[in-house]
Amino acid sequence: MAEPSNKTQRQDWIDLPEEITASILSRLGAIEILVTAVYVCTTWRRICMDPRNWLTIDMRDDSLYGKSSSSRYQMDMLCRKAVDLSCGNLVGISVHNFGSDDLLKHITDSCRGIKRLCFVLSNITTNGLIEAAPKLPLLEELELSHCNYRLDIPPFEHTRHANVEVIGRCCPRLKSLKLNKYNTKWFFLGWDGDAHAVAETMHGLHHLQLFGNKLTSKDLRAILDGCPLLETLDLRHCWHINLGRDRSGHFGLELDEELKTRCLDGIKNLRLPHDSKHDYERLAARKFVDNEFVEESMDWEF
């Protein structure tokens, strides 16, 4: 018995009920849909371009970690196309390993109902965030991980992050904030800009992740005072909470007992600075940041 031809197999795929085809296509990533699936046939193209399939967008350039060749695509252009396909109905978007202020502006100008916004290893600046914040009145979840991490190295230690404060004032529904950065035990001075902005403007937060932030014990106390609804608090690699020398002369962490008790009693899910980072969801991004930082910090004099 002769085996079915490729043409017959292709026809079988095309003749599937649309709801089954849509379910299959929903398992593809945004890049695969935009560069491949949309060109298979008119049925697939119609399904792929349905605005209901673009309510949430997750786009990442994994080639940064050597995992794929997605960098051959113009990621910024593909992301803009995906945003446009939502026809203004976008609810959530995650951008990994690319992105700029111009892309953020396009997203917030096109869609005013965004509830979840995530940028990882993106070239988003303070000015870009300040401009975008007033256009995100429904925002509930925000993540900015390892964006502009070089601002954490001298001479910028005392720069106050006005963007965090503006976000807090413009996004009253914000319940989850992830503001993850690069930090190291070698920088001894704490930095309270982000922590004070959170404490003063984000009183409705339920979940806060400050991986690698430079907040001090004083700043942590301000957050506990200003954010009474906190259920999750991630302080891993926040080395400046009661930082002091141990007997061996190395820098170690001793969390004030009163403050530690307050955290343990009031926070359901608490991660302290020395807790393991192995389940940190941005570990790959952090490793990339570490490598970049070590190479560039060779030029700094302390």
Side-chain angles (χ1 to χ4, degrees):
M1 181 176 180
E3 294 184 358
S5 65
N6 290 336
K7 182 177 181 180
T8 302
Q9 292 176 338
R10 181 175 180 273
Q11 191 66 39
D12 290 341
W13 278 97
I14 294 175
D15 291 339
L16 286 173
E18 285 202 14
E19 60 272 18
I20 295 179
T21 302
S23 177
I24 294 171
L25 292 177
S26 68
R27 290 162 171 77
L28 297 178
I31 297 175
E32 289 84 357
I33 291 176
L34 293 172
V35 303
T36 303
V38 72
Y39 299 109
V40 170
C41 64
T42 55
T43 300
W44 282 33
R45 182 175 181 82
R46 183 172 63 255
I47 295 172
C48 290
M49 297 187 71
D50 188 335
R52 292 173 296 180
N53 295 326
W54 297 99
L55 298 180
T56 60
I57 298 171
D58 187 348
M59 297 193 71
R60 62 188 69 208
D61 184 359
D62 285 334
S63 66
L64 193 64
Y65 312 126
K67 293 182 179 180
S68 74
S69 57
S70 55
S71 63
R72 72 178 184 270
Y73 305 123
Q74 296 183 25
M75 300 298 294
D76 187 279
M77 181 188 70
L78 287 177
C79 190
R80 289 170 184 260
K81 184 175 181 179
V83 170
D84 292 343
L85 285 173
S86 74
C87 296
N89 298 311
L90 185 67
V91 175
I93 183 167
S94 297
V95 176
H96 297 242
N97 312 334
F98 72 98
S100 63
D101 287 348
D102 286 341
L103 177 60
L104 178 60
K105 184 177 186 303
H106 181 79
I107 293 170
T108 53
D109 282 346
S110 304
C111 312
R112 297 301 178 95
I114 296 175
K115 296 183 179 180
R116 181 178 182 274
L117 183 66
C118 170
F119 278 89
V120 179
L121 272 180
S122 302
N123 190 28
I124 303 297
T125 70
T126 295
N127 289 337
L129 285 166
I130 290 175
E131 182 180 349
K135 295 177 282 188
L136 295 166
L138 303 181
L139 191 66
E140 297 179 2
E141 300 178 37
L142 174 65
E143 177 175 358
L144 300 171
S145 290
H146 307 293
C147 296
N148 285 330
Y149 58 87
R150 291 177 181 83
L151 289 180
D152 280 347
I153 61 180
F156 305 107
E157 291 167 341
H158 302 290
T159 302
R160 184 180 177 88
H161 263 189
N163 56 316
V164 178
E165 191 169 334
V166 172
I167 289 169
R169 299 193 186 284
C170 294
C171 307
R173 299 190 182 188
L174 195 65
K175 293 181 174 60
S176 175
L177 175 66
K178 295 183 178 182
L179 197 64
N180 304 318
K181 301 182 177 183
Y182 180 90
N183 200 355
T184 173
K185 296 180 183 180
W186 298 329
F187 296 151
F188 308 138
L189 295 178
W191 180 44
D192 63 358
D194 295 335
H196 275 247
V198 169
E200 293 173 4
T201 66
M202 301 183 182
H203 308 301
L205 278 184
H206 288 247
H207 309 285
L208 178 61
Q209 186 178 64
L210 295 173
F211 193 105
N213 197 275
K214 294 184 178 181
L215 79 164
T216 64
S217 297
K218 177 182 177 182
D219 306 322
L220 175 56
R221 188 171 282 104
I223 287 177
L224 295 176
D225 290 339
C227 306
L229 302 179
L230 273 183
E231 301 175 10
T232 302
L233 180 59
D234 191 341
L235 301 171
R236 283 176 291 179
H237 282 220
C238 294
W239 303 123
H240 302 280
I241 301 175
N242 275 11
L243 194 63
R245 291 186 182 276
D246 59 25
R247 293 182 179 180
S248 63
H250 294 94
F251 278 81
L253 185 76
E254 295 180 0
L255 188 63
D256 179 273
E257 284 302 319
E258 178 270 331
L259 192 57
K260 185 175 181 178
T261 299
R262 187 176 174 188
C263 289
L264 291 171
D265 290 345
I267 307 297
K268 294 181 181 178
N269 187 4
L270 176 67
R271 306 300 297 272
L272 294 174
H274 276 301
D275 286 348
S276 172
K277 65 178 186 295
H278 292 301
D279 63 341
Y280 176 49
E281 63 271 30
R282 303 302 176 212
L283 190 58
R286 176 173 164 73
K287 287 180 178 178
F288 178 82
V289 170
D290 288 353
N291 293 336
E292 289 287 299
F293 183 84
V294 168
E295 292 176 4
E296 295 200 2
S297 62
M298 299 293 288
D299 298 328
W300 289 92
E301 295 182 1
F302 299 95

